[in-house]
Amino acid sequence: MPYVPVAELKDYIGKELGRSEWLTIDQERINLFAEATGDYQFIHVDPVKAAQTPFGGTIAHGFLSLSLIPKLMEDILVMPEGLKMVVNYGLDSVRFIQPVKVDSKVRLKVELSEVTEKKPGQWLLKAIATLEIDGMDKPAYVAESLSLCFV
């Protein structure tokens, strides 16, 4: 992740910071997420039944694709120099636009939208995280992700 002086963080507002590498969402990843969360809805874990739906096969859980934000964003989001730690502060909004079908490749596009000093030494970064699907015009989702940085 790139580090910049705190005073320069606001210079990145409104700018696209980059895109992650492509990541394939395979059935094993979907099944492991189902196991971790207890969400075994057939549209995610039963390829035979899911083939009969308009999607034509299994799809990733929306929250699986959303949970990829921290990992896919880690090399893109600018962080303040002197960072001691960063924690997930939540999401301001999320819109799921289309499902991620099994074996799709996805990547995250990141744009910094706000920088706020919460307390001395604590900076809240809001980033627009867009999960792109290879070969598709529309993204899987657009989310406003919040990261609290301690310096």
Side-chain angles (χ1 to χ4, degrees):
M1 86 186 51
Y3 295 94
V4 300
V6 169
E8 293 179 17
L9 281 173
K10 292 188 180 202
D11 295 343
Y12 290 87
I13 294 173
K15 295 183 180 175
E16 182 180 312
L17 301 178
R19 288 175 165 84
S20 69
E21 297 295 321
W22 290 106
L23 174 69
T24 300
I25 306 299
D26 59 17
Q27 191 63 52
E28 180 181 12
R29 183 180 298 267
I30 293 169
N31 292 345
L32 288 170
F33 190 84
E35 185 177 323
T37 61
D39 182 352
Y40 291 99
Q41 185 179 10
F42 81 91
I43 194 67
H44 306 302
V45 297
D46 187 334
V48 174
K49 281 180 75 174
Q52 305 306 311
T53 70
F55 304 123
T58 57
I59 59 171
H61 304 73
F63 285 112
L64 164 57
S65 61
L66 199 59
S67 74
L68 299 172
I69 289 176
K71 176 63 178 160
L72 295 178
M73 188 184 285
E74 73 181 353
D75 293 330
I76 302 169
L77 186 63
V78 293
M79 291 287 164
E81 285 181 345
L83 181 71
K84 295 176 184 164
M85 70 174 181
V86 60
V87 296
N88 176 0
Y89 198 71
L91 301 162
D92 268 355
S93 70
V94 178
R95 293 296 176 264
F96 293 106
I97 298 166
Q98 71 172 327
V100 176
K101 294 180 180 181
V102 69
D103 296 325
S104 293
K105 290 181 185 176
V106 297
R107 70 178 176 188
L108 197 68
K109 178 175 77 170
V110 179
E111 176 187 323
L112 188 63
S113 61
E114 288 183 32
V115 175
T116 307
E117 186 176 19
K118 297 288 284 181
K119 295 180 184 177
Q122 293 182 17
W123 292 87
L124 183 64
L125 307 182
K126 181 189 287 189
I128 300 171
T130 304
L131 192 70
E132 300 176 330
I133 305 169
D134 191 25
M136 304 297 283
D137 291 334
K138 294 181 183 176
Y141 62 73
V142 178
E144 293 179 323
S145 175
L146 303 172
S147 302
L148 186 59
C149 303
F150 294 82
V151 292

